[in-house]
Coordinates of all heavy atoms in Angstrom, one line a residue:
Chain D
K623 N 30.8 30.2 47.7 CA 30.7 29.9 46.2 C 31.9 29.1 45.7 O 32.4 29.4 44.6 CB 30.4 31.2 45.4 CG 29.2 32.0 45.8 CD 28.0 31.3 45.3 CE 26.7 32.1 45.7 NZ 25.5 31.2 45.9
K624 N 32.4 28.2 46.5 CA 33.5 27.4 46.2 C 33.3 25.9 46.4 O 32.5 25.6 47.4 CB 34.8 27.8 47.0 CG 35.1 29.3 47.0 CD 35.9 29.6 45.7 CE 36.3 31.1 45.8 NZ 36.8 31.6 44.5
A625 N 33.9 25.1 45.7 CA 33.8 23.6 46.0 C 34.7 23.3 47.1 O 35.8 23.9 47.3 CB 34.2 22.8 44.7
E626 N 34.3 22.3 47.9 CA 35.2 21.8 49.0 C 35.3 20.3 48.9 O 34.3 19.6 48.6 CB 34.6 22.2 50.3 CG 34.8 23.7 50.6 CD 34.0 24.1 51.9 OE1 33.2 23.3 52.4 OE2 34.2 25.3 52.3
I627 N 36.5 19.7 49.2 CA 36.6 18.3 49.1 C 36.9 17.8 50.6 O 37.8 18.2 51.3 CB 37.8 17.9 48.2 CG1 37.4 18.3 46.8 CG2 38.0 16.4 48.3 CD1 38.5 18.0 45.8
N628 N 36.1 16.8 50.9 CA 36.3 16.1 52.2 C 37.3 15.0 52.1 O 37.1 14.0 51.4 CB 34.9 15.5 52.7 CG 35.0 14.8 54.0 OD1 36.1 14.4 54.4 ND2 33.9 14.6 54.6
E629 N 38.5 15.3 52.6 CA 39.6 14.4 52.3 C 39.4 13.0 53.0 O 40.1 12.0 52.6 CB 40.9 15.0 52.8 CG 41.3 16.1 51.8 CD 42.8 16.5 51.9 OE1 43.6 15.6 52.1 OE2 43.1 17.7 51.8
V630 N 38.5 12.9 53.9 CA 38.3 11.6 54.5 C 37.5 10.7 53.5 O 37.7 9.5 53.4 CB 37.6 11.7 55.9 CG1 37.2 10.4 56.4 CG2 38.4 12.5 56.8
L631 N 36.6 11.3 52.8 CA 35.7 10.6 51.9 C 36.5 10.3 50.5 O 36.2 9.4 49.8 CB 34.4 11.3 51.6 CG 33.5 11.4 52.8 CD1 32.2 12.2 52.4 CD2 33.1 10.0 53.3
C632 N 37.4 11.2 50.2 CA 38.1 11.1 48.9 C 39.0 9.9 48.9 O 39.7 9.6 49.8 CB 39.0 12.4 48.7 SG 40.0 12.3 47.2
K633 N 38.9 9.1 47.8 CA 39.7 7.9 47.6 C 40.8 8.1 46.6 O 41.5 7.1 46.4 CB 38.8 6.8 47.2 CG 37.8 6.3 48.3 CD 37.2 5.0 48.0 CE 36.2 4.6 49.0 NZ 35.5 3.4 48.7
G634 N 40.9 9.3 46.1 CA 42.1 9.6 45.3 C 42.1 9.0 43.9 O 43.1 8.6 43.4
C635 N 40.9 9.1 43.2 CA 40.9 8.7 41.8 C 41.4 9.8 40.9 O 42.0 9.5 39.8 CB 39.5 8.2 41.4 SG 38.3 9.4 41.4
G636 N 41.1 11.0 41.2 CA 41.6 12.1 40.4 C 40.7 12.5 39.3 O 41.0 13.4 38.5
V637 N 39.4 12.0 39.3 CA 38.5 12.3 38.2 C 38.2 13.8 38.3 O 38.1 14.5 37.2 CB 37.2 11.4 38.4 CG1 36.0 12.1 37.6 CG2 37.5 10.0 37.9
C638 N 38.0 14.3 39.5 CA 37.7 15.8 39.6 C 38.8 16.7 39.1 O 38.6 17.7 38.4 CB 37.3 16.1 41.0 SG 38.6 15.6 42.2
A639 N 40.0 16.3 39.4 CA 41.2 17.1 39.0 C 41.3 17.1 37.5 O 41.6 18.2 36.9 CB 42.5 16.5 39.6
A640 N 40.9 16.0 36.8 CA 41.0 16.0 35.4 C 39.8 16.9 34.8 O 40.0 17.4 33.7 CB 40.8 14.6 34.9
A641 N 38.7 17.0 35.5 CA 37.6 17.7 34.9 C 37.5 19.2 35.2 O 36.8 19.9 34.6 CB 36.3 17.0 35.5
C642 N 38.2 19.6 36.3 CA 38.1 21.0 36.7 C 38.6 21.9 35.6 O 39.7 21.9 35.2 CB 39.0 21.2 37.9 SG 38.9 23.0 38.5
P643 N 37.6 22.8 35.1 CA 38.0 23.7 34.0 C 39.0 24.7 34.3 O 39.8 25.2 33.5 CB 36.7 24.3 33.5 CG 35.6 23.7 34.4 CD 36.2 23.0 35.5
S644 N 39.0 25.1 35.6 CA 40.0 26.2 36.0 C 41.3 25.6 36.5 O 42.2 26.4 36.9 CB 39.3 27.1 37.0 OG 39.1 26.4 38.2
G645 N 41.4 24.3 36.6 CA 42.6 23.7 37.1 C 42.8 24.0 38.6 O 44.0 23.9 39.0
S646 N 41.8 24.2 39.3 CA 42.0 24.5 40.7 C 41.9 23.3 41.6 O 42.1 23.4 42.8 CB 40.9 25.5 41.1 OG 39.6 25.0 41.0
I647 N 41.6 22.1 41.0 CA 41.7 20.9 41.9 C 43.0 20.2 41.7 O 43.4 20.0 40.5 CB 40.5 20.0 41.6 CG1 39.2 20.6 41.8 CG2 40.6 18.7 42.4 CD1 37.9 19.8 41.7
K648 N 43.7 19.9 42.8 CA 45.0 19.3 42.7 C 44.9 17.9 43.3 O 44.3 17.8 44.4 CB 46.0 20.1 43.4 CG 46.1 21.5 43.1 CD 47.1 21.8 42.0 CE 47.2 23.3 41.8 NZ 47.5 23.6 40.4
Q649 N 45.4 16.9 42.7 CA 45.5 15.6 43.3 C 46.9 15.4 43.8 O 47.9 15.4 43.0 CB 45.1 14.5 42.3 CG 45.0 13.1 43.0 CD 44.9 11.9 42.1 OE1 45.0 12.1 40.9 NE2 44.8 10.8 42.7
N650 N 47.1 15.1 45.1 CA 48.4 14.8 45.6 C 49.0 13.6 44.9 O 48.3 12.7 44.6 CB 48.3 14.5 47.1 CG 48.0 15.7 47.9 OD1 48.3 16.9 47.5 ND2 47.4 15.5 49.1
L651 N 50.3 13.7 44.6 CA 51.1 12.7 43.9 C 50.8 12.6 42.4 O 51.5 11.9 41.7 CB 50.9 11.3 44.5 CG 51.3 11.0 46.0 CD1 50.8 9.7 46.5 CD2 52.9 11.1 46.0

Side-chain angles (χ1 to χ4, degrees):
Chain D
K623 301 284 177 209
K624 307 277 182 189
E626 286 173 352
I627 296 177
N628 178 341
E629 289 200 34
V630 176
L631 295 177
C632 173
K633 289 194 184 175
C635 62
V637 161
C638 54
C642 178
S644 64
S646 60
I647 299 184
K648 311 267 185 213
Q649 186 191 6
N650 289 335
L651 294 170

